Amino acid sequence: MRYITFALAKGRLARKAMEILEETGITCEEMKDEKTRKLIFVNEELKFRFFLAKASDVPTYVEYGAADIGIVGRDTLLEEGRKLYEVYDLGIGKCKMCVCGPESAKSLLNGHELIRVASKYPNIAKDYFYNVKHQTVEIIKLNGSVELAPIVGLSEVIVDIVETGATLRENGLQVLEEVCDLSARMVVNQVSMKMESGRISDIIDKLRTRGGKEIK
Ligand code: PRP
């Protein structure tokens, strides 16, 4: 029997995902050592292999088949646009992708203004403004602390993740429009889904019985 390989977005999401997988009997003792700097972990008995990757790389590993299964946020999946099957909503890491800015920027979202939009998610921002709102905008890619952009005059608005809203509030910004709901998803390589359909369907079935949502 060959290994089924999982790529997990490292950090809090990977830890929570492993707790959920554990409920279905998919365990990995060596991953529980919080001090370890290892990136790859194995459960020899069950023939599962797990590796921790940067979130934005998880869809790439899965599309190319270096991992059979990935667990990553929907934000990353939408931004990366890889060819994969999205099979299960783990219901963790729930938040929203939003257009945010100062209240005064609300009137600039009417579809006619050529505004600047800063985001860590240029593809999501572009899709929303061009295909949903039909507003021509200039997208500026940033890598973090995006809330700074409208404060220091780099852009009029941002497209970013809002979880508690604290970062916005503490910086005098607010949600102007909601783009979409986000949460952690399980994705599967398209070939693995056929070649290992028995073992992978079994994992999805077990997850489904614990609740959460299967994505058809
Ligand atoms: C994320 C996001 C917001 C913040 C939202 O940033 O980009 O800045 O969390 O959370 P809140 O609504 O609960 O305040 P992250 O912590 O990943 O840092 P980064 O922006 O530097 O990437």
Side-chain angles (χ1 to χ4, degrees):
M1 191 161 61
R2 77 163 179 91
Y3 287 105
I4 293 285
T5 301
F6 289 76
L8 308 172
K10 67 180 169 193
R12 200 159 45 118
L13 185 59
R15 284 192 294 277
K16 281 193 175 179
M18 285 310 292
E19 284 171 24
I20 290 174
L21 289 175
E22 199 155 290
E23 288 173 30
T24 72
I26 298 173
T27 55
C28 188
E29 284 308 311
E30 62 170 353
M31 259 181 114
K32 290 181 182 165
D33 174 4
E34 296 209 344
K35 282 191 242 97
T36 184
R37 303 286 291 168
K38 272 181 82 167
L39 296 172
I40 304 192
F41 307 89
V42 178
N43 182 328
E44 281 297 345
E45 201 185 324
L46 300 176
K47 288 282 181 242
F48 287 126
R49 198 159 69 138
F50 305 85
F51 66 79
L52 302 173
K54 194 174 158 71
S56 54
D57 293 335
V58 167
T60 312
Y61 283 108
V62 177
E63 185 188 80
Y64 283 88
D68 301 289
I69 294 175
I71 296 180
V72 67
R74 183 171 182 238
D75 51 328
T76 306
L77 294 172
L78 293 172
E79 182 61 24
E80 296 297 315
R82 296 278 175 183
K83 280 194 229 109
L84 323 147
Y85 295 131
E86 192 180 316
V87 296
Y88 184 73
D89 181 348
L90 282 88
I92 55 174
K94 283 188 185 172
C95 49
K96 285 182 194 288
M97 187 65 73
C98 300
V99 181
C100 311
E103 198 182 359
S104 59
K106 214 169 197 165
S107 60
L108 302 174
L109 299 175
N110 56 19
H112 308 302
E113 311 277 345
L114 177 60
I115 55 169
R116 286 185 294 190
V117 179
S119 187
K120 274 194 291 190
Y121 302 92
N123 294 328
I124 295 176
K126 195 170 165 191
D127 180 64
Y128 182 68
F129 275 93
Y130 282 70
N131 300 329
V132 179
K133 288 177 64 66
H134 306 293
Q135 180 169 3
T136 305
V137 296
E138 183 180 347
I139 310 279
I140 301 174
K141 162 89 161 83
L142 288 178
N143 296 298
S145 301
V146 181
E147 290 83 358
L148 275 173
I151 300 171
V152 300
L154 177 66
S155 69
E156 281 74 30
V157 297
I158 60 174
V159 169
D160 199 19
I161 291 173
V162 179
E163 192 180 351
T164 62
T167 312
L168 291 179
R169 268 195 306 280
E170 291 185 26
N171 291 287
L173 305 173
Q174 57 182 246
V175 171
L176 303 175
E177 291 180 359
E178 289 186 9
V179 176
C180 62
D181 289 323
L182 304 171
S183 58
R185 304 295 162 98
M186 179 177 281
V187 290
V188 178
N189 171 270
Q190 296 188 340
V191 176
S192 305
M193 196 64 151
K194 292 194 187 76
M195 303 301 287
E196 291 292 339
S197 67
R199 290 171 78 196
I200 292 175
S201 304
D202 185 52
I203 294 167
I204 300 167
D205 287 347
K206 283 184 177 146
L207 285 168
R208 205 175 43 203
T209 57
R210 70 168 276 282
K213 261 189 281 168
E214 188 182 10
I215 299 162
K216 294 277 180 192

